[in-house]
Amino acid sequence: MAIDRDDAADRERDRDDTELMFLGVEQQAEQVRAGKTTSRSLVEAALRRIARADPGLGAFRIVLADQALAEADARDAQQSAGPLHGVPVAVKDELDVAGQVTTFGGAANRTPVSADSEAVRRLRAAGAVVIGKTAMPEFGQWPFTESAAYGRTLNPWDTTRTPGGSSGGSAAAVAAGLVPAALGGDGGGSIRIPAACCGLFGLKPQRGRVSTAPNPHLWYALGTVGPLTRTVRDSALLYDVLAGTTPIDRWSAGPGPGPGPAAAGWVRALETPPGRLRIGYSAKPAVPGVRPHPAHVEALLETVRALRELGHDVREVDPRYPDATAPFVAQFCGGVRAEAAAVQRPDLLERRTRTTLALARLVPESAVERGIRAGERLAERADRMFTTMDLLLTPVIAERPRPAGALDGAGLLKAMVRSRPMVAYTALWNVTGHPAASVPAGVGADGLPLAVQLVGRRDDEVGVLRVAAQLEAVRPWAQHRPPLPTG
């Protein structure tokens, strides 16, 4: 049977688009700088993939096609080129993008903002092109990306499953090769959880490493801003662009290790091997009453074997995790209350959110501040864990990614119960502020990604990145690609 010439051309273009979008941030920027492609070609390829796949994923809340093409043309006309020159990126819908509504995943906000958030401004200043805003649960409350206003976001590896949350739209977009990188936020695991569910690298940086301006904080001391990428090096490249705060920010991180402040050379720091480190590992969750799935325990043990072969001193430990429930809940309530106070139509908030707000109003601002101080005391206790080890290795999530619809019909209490296994290893490090990353660890028998968490000392993102890069070198994960859904 003869092959239709147009169909053959479409298939060839699809293959070309796929290869372009899976190049990664650094390689895409290098191709634009070298004249091998243009920013417009990259953006057009991303838009075609989004048009083909996103109806079956729900990764994007809005696609800014016309604006992105105009921005790409402006990049192509520029003489100077930044480190992200011409690269299309996506932004979680809790961060401001000029001219767009910051919905926080719901329907209660209606007015477009006039200026980019500081993180988005830095991306553009480095040459990136903002192609759209990604889906999230309302106010990022849940580790499942589902909202009454915008529906479910699905996992590219298995579209019957959740991509995690709350940065699930960003994770799904990167995992499916719709963009090479996307910004997320992490207030209880919201970068690391979707990274684990979608086979990506996701580093929650030290508290105060990346600006939350124009807001002084993101869920008080809990929240951080950061990227989801397919490689460690791309993550480091983006943090070289993003790191640094403004006078508006309530928190500012200390200097990191390596050649000067972490903000001055994260990519360069990867060129220095970490040396032989003491790494403790444990499958014990920080939340009582949760048991890890056997596949996650096996991924942990396989990573232990890999780290030992790399020359590290890796030993099982029994972490004496402090109870972070009270400071986390206080700041969670305060954070949701602060974000809800900024919307125009509070009557359009989801039922679960209104229940959260009713409880949050019982938590005065003084209790939130006490929670912050309690979190700092817990951070000092956690610091003592790192006197006998350089890094801690754990699972990222306790259960396999749930079937999509985890929040369907769930009130506040049921949603909280369903969330506990997803945050059992991650939320503590938001309370203490320590850097922690989700590192891919292969694919499970169910066809979904596996991951482990590396936790570092305060301000030691570079230490986490260096060991993650070693693991990536011996078991490269970027070669694993999910099938591209259509529909």
Side-chain angles (χ1 to χ4, degrees), residues 22 52 80 82 122 174 188 209 282 289 291 299 305 345 370-371 381 408 423 474:
F22 278 100
R52 179 184 172 197
S80 59
R122 292 185 184 199
V174 176
R209 182 68 68 200
S282 176
R291 297 183 64 181
R305 291 189 286 269
R345 292 288 305 276
R370 285 196 299 273
R381 287 180 58 186
D408 286 359
V423 303
V474 297

Side-chain angles (χ1 to χ4, degrees), residues 401-426:
R402 278 179 174 262
L407 297 179
D408 286 359
L412 177 61
L413 181 59
K414 187 173 287 187
M416 292 176 67
V417 169
R418 291 177 181 174
S419 298
R420 288 181 81 245
M422 300 292 277
V423 303
Y425 294 96
T426 57

Side-chain angles (χ1 to χ4, degrees), residues 154-462:
L154 306 175
N155 194 318
W157 291 87
D158 178 349
T159 53
T160 69
R161 300 278 172 169
T162 180
S166 63
S167 306
S170 290
V174 176
L178 310 185
V179 287
L183 285 190
D186 194 316
S190 291
I191 288 173
R192 290 160 288 160
I193 292 166
C197 291
C198 295
L200 303 174
F201 181 75
L203 169 67
K204 180 196 82 68
Q206 174 68 33
R207 175 188 303 142
R209 182 68 68 200
V210 177
S211 177
T212 58
N215 302 307
H217 59 77
L218 179 63
W219 279 16
Y220 292 86
L222 297 179
T224 60
V225 176
L228 292 109
T229 62
R230 282 190 292 277
T231 70
V232 175
R233 190 174 175 88
D234 275 353
S235 183
L237 177 63
L238 281 157
Y239 275 115
D240 267 331
V241 168
L242 293 167
T245 50
T246 73
I248 292 171
D249 292 283
R250 180 169 175 178
W251 283 276
S252 182
W266 290 27
V267 171
R268 189 166 68 249
L270 290 179
E271 298 169 3
T272 303
R276 188 171 191 263
L277 300 181
R278 301 167 301 168
I279 301 175
Y281 75 93
S282 176
K284 175 184 175 181
V287 173
V290 174
R291 297 183 64 181
H293 191 283
H296 296 161
V297 176
E298 180 53 38
L300 177 73
L301 296 177
E302 191 280 327
T303 304
V304 167
R305 291 189 286 269
L307 289 169
R308 285 174 175 160
E309 290 174 1
L310 286 164
H312 297 295
D313 178 8
V314 188
R315 303 182 184 184
E316 187 171 12
V317 296
D318 182 14
R320 296 185 177 180
Y321 293 125
D323 185 357
T325 304
F328 182 87
V329 170
Q331 293 176 77
F332 172 90
C333 287
V336 173
R337 185 174 62 214
E339 290 181 344
V343 304
Q344 285 82 43
R345 292 288 305 276
D347 57 304
L348 297 180
L349 293 171
E350 293 179 7
R351 176 173 56 88
R352 275 186 303 270
T353 302
R354 293 198 298 271
T355 304
T356 301
L357 286 173
L359 294 175
R361 292 187 182 105
L362 303 176
V363 181
E365 196 69 18
S366 59
V368 176
E369 293 298 323
R370 285 196 299 273
I372 293 169
R373 293 193 294 273
E376 286 302 318
R377 292 192 293 272
L378 293 186
E380 292 172 0
R381 287 180 58 186
D383 284 342
R384 292 197 287 271
M385 294 169 53
F386 292 98
T387 60
T388 57
M389 58 184 169
D390 301 301
L391 295 170
L392 175 64
L393 178 72
T394 74
V396 183
I397 55 178
E399 64 183 9
R400 304 301 285 142
R402 278 179 174 262
L407 297 179
D408 286 359
L412 177 61
L413 181 59
K414 187 173 287 187
M416 292 176 67
V417 169
R418 291 177 181 174
S419 298
R420 288 181 81 245
M422 300 292 277
V423 303
Y425 294 96
T426 57
L428 169 64
W429 307 112
N430 293 85
V431 174
T432 68
H434 288 70
S438 178
V439 183
V443 178
D446 56 4
L448 292 164
L450 296 164
V452 293
Q453 179 176 234
L454 278 173
V455 185
R457 292 190 177 97
R458 280 204 250 193
D459 294 312
D460 191 18
E461 295 102 324
V462 168

